[in-house]
């Protein structure tokens, strides 16, 4: 499958969480109050924005992560992996006396599902002051993971808007902005879609808003918050549905493998695949949806993010 080197001197910045995943692959989901062995286990750097960067770096994009970091010894694992994959993180903020955000993940080989229990007791969320450390001249695309710090993310987006408004009309220096709404929370949603170029809607978030299909979720978001932006809603094994800024509809089928081995991060893979194709590949929206769908399908067949045929490393 084709991959690209970077076709621009601008970076992709992903803003959100970086944590550590402890993953155990089991024949079936563990029974309560049982004692059993898993098939395999591993540690993995995780978090939506962090995973986006992993996929983008594997595809050959020049990318950077902005996240809050713990100063604990355990977090060194995540730092080492970022360096190994050549993901930049120079503007991240280290917080003293904080614990590592940790996810314990069970992968069931019988069903292909993943069950996640997350812990983040005291690591602060990013602020607009953290974001202000970034020199916007360096970036061509900035992607936000929608988290609890909605008001702060909105201030970060406003900072990009001011930057874009200072550029000449049609200037290639303008930054494309995207946001992923995945977690089932809707606090101040309008702050995150106003002035955004691309909005990715997760199935859990859509169901939280009482939508039971991808098209209904897209229609619902556009009805509540009209605007000139593209909405993309992947719906698990069902088709991905999208409406672009001009109101045109697109439907993209999925490409599930014959055996699903690891569904952890499949959504992050899809989002990164879209961004990569749209920004680095300069592709159309249908081309990006097709590529991202195939990439996510290939990821489901393999453990982790090192997907054969989709890595330049």
């Amino acid at each position: 499958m084709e991959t690209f080197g970077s076709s621009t001197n601008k970076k992709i910045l992903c803003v959100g969480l970086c944590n550590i995943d402890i993953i155990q692959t089991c024949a079936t989901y563990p029974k309560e109050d049982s004692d059993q062995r898993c098939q395999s286990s591993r540690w993995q750097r995780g978090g939506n924005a962090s995973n986006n960067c992993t996929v983008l770096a594997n595809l050959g994009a020049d990318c950077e992560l902005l996240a809050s970091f713990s100063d604990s010894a355990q977090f060194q694992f995540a730092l080492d992996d970022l360096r190994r994959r050549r993901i930049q993180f120079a503007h991240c903020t280290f917080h003293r006396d904080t614990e590592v955000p940790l996810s314990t993940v069970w992968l069931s080989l019988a069903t292909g599902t993943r069950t996640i229990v997350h812990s983040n007791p005291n690591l602060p969320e990013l602020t607009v002051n953290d974001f202000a450390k970034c020199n916007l001249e360096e970036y061509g695309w900035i992607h936000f993971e929608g988290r609890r710090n909605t008001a702060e993310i909105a201030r970060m987006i406003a900072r990009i808007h001011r930057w874009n408004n200072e550029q000449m009309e049609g200037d290639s220096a303008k930054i494309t902005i995207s946001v992923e709404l995945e977690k089932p929370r809707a606090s101040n949603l309008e702050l995150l879609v106003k002035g955004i170029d691309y909005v990715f809607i997760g199935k859990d978030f859509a169901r939280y808003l009482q939508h039971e299909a991808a098209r209904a979720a897209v229609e619902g978001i556009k009805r509540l918050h009209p605007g000139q932006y593209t909405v993309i809603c992947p719906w698990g094994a069902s088709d991905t549905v999208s409406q672009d800024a001009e109101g045109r509809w697109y439907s993209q089928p999925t490409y599930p493998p014959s055996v699903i081995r690891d569904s952890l991060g499949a959504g992050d893979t899809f989002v990164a695949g879209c961004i990569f194709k749209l920004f680095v590949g300069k592709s159309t929206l249908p081309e990006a949806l097709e590529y991202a769908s195939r990439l996510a399908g290939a990821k489901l067949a393999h453990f982790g993010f090192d997907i054969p045929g989709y890595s330049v490393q």
Side-chain angles (χ1 to χ4, degrees):
M1 183 61 65
E2 74 178 322
T3 57
F4 298 85
S6 179
S7 62
T8 176
N9 59 359
K10 300 285 187 175
K11 292 186 290 187
I12 300 170
L13 177 67
C14 297
V15 183
L17 178 67
C18 182
N19 72 300
I20 293 176
D21 295 335
I22 299 177
I23 304 163
Q24 293 184 308
T25 303
C26 307
T28 59
Y29 184 79
K31 294 181 180 179
E32 186 177 356
D33 199 27
S34 65
D35 185 351
Q36 63 189 76
R37 288 184 177 273
C38 64
Q39 303 265 339
S40 64
S41 64
R42 71 182 190 273
W43 281 36
Q44 181 174 292
R45 176 176 46 80
N48 287 24
S50 174
N51 290 341
N52 296 149
C53 281
T54 299
V55 176
L56 288 166
N58 281 351
L59 295 173
D62 188 7
C63 63
E64 179 179 342
L65 173 66
L66 181 65
S68 291
F69 283 175
S70 167
D71 69 345
S72 66
Q74 293 87 348
F75 198 74
Q76 187 64 45
F77 171 86
L79 298 179
D80 290 343
D81 191 61
L82 287 166
R83 294 187 184 101
R84 180 175 67 87
R85 294 181 181 276
R86 301 182 180 89
I87 297 169
Q88 300 167 53
F89 58 91
H91 298 107
C92 292
T93 301
F94 285 84
H95 295 273
R96 297 183 60 186
D97 302 321
T98 55
E99 297 182 38
V100 180
L102 186 69
S103 291
T104 307
V105 185
W106 289 272
L107 300 178
S108 170
L109 294 177
T111 60
T113 58
R114 88 285 187 271
T115 302
I116 305 172
V117 178
H118 186 62
S119 170
N120 188 0
N122 61 359
L123 188 68
E125 294 282 355
L126 288 165
T127 68
V128 69
N129 290 332
D130 297 321
F131 184 73
K133 299 174 186 176
C134 299
N135 180 0
L136 296 182
E137 290 184 4
E138 299 179 7
Y139 310 107
W141 189 301
I142 299 181
H143 174 69
F144 293 92
E145 172 190 349
R147 295 186 55 75
R148 294 188 302 270
N149 57 334
T150 306
E152 290 297 308
I153 295 174
R155 293 186 182 102
M156 298 177 203
I157 293 170
R159 190 179 181 90
I160 303 171
H161 288 163
R162 289 193 295 272
W163 162 264
N164 282 343
N165 289 337
E166 292 171 358
Q167 310 309 308
M168 298 291 291
E169 185 67 29
D171 195 329
S172 60
K174 289 190 175 183
I175 299 168
T176 300
I177 312 170
S178 61
V179 65
E180 180 189 21
L181 304 177
E182 182 207 33
K183 300 294 188 294
R185 61 175 73 98
S187 174
N188 297 323
L189 172 62
E190 68 280 0
L191 297 179
L192 296 187
V193 299
K194 185 178 180 180
I196 295 293
D197 298 295
Y198 294 87
V199 177
F200 295 90
I201 303 293
K203 183 164 66 172
D204 289 345
F205 179 81
R207 284 178 168 168
Y208 177 78
L209 297 183
Q210 308 299 312
H211 302 300
E212 289 300 325
R215 187 180 179 103
V218 173
E219 289 174 336
I221 292 294
K222 282 284 191 139
R223 183 170 57 252
L224 287 173
H225 308 290
Q228 290 261 304
Y229 59 94
T230 296
V231 183
I232 300 170
C233 184
W235 200 269
S238 301
D239 290 3
T240 293
V241 174
S242 177
Q243 186 183 54
D244 68 14
E246 285 72 44
R248 295 182 290 254
W249 286 93
Y250 302 93
S251 181
Q252 172 59 49
T254 59
Y255 298 96
S258 56
V259 177
I260 296 176
R261 293 184 172 86
D262 184 1
S263 58
L264 180 65
D268 302 332
T269 301
F270 178 89
V271 170
C274 278
I275 293 172
F276 178 79
K277 261 293 196 175
L278 290 167
F279 180 61
V280 180
K282 308 300 181 187
S283 301
T284 64
L285 179 59
E287 290 170 340
L289 295 175
E290 166 81 11
Y291 180 84
S293 186
R294 290 190 180 277
L295 181 65
K299 185 267 171 288
L300 290 169
H302 298 278
F303 293 107
F305 294 101
D306 296 318
I307 308 167
Y310 286 90
S311 177
V312 299
Q313 297 184 18

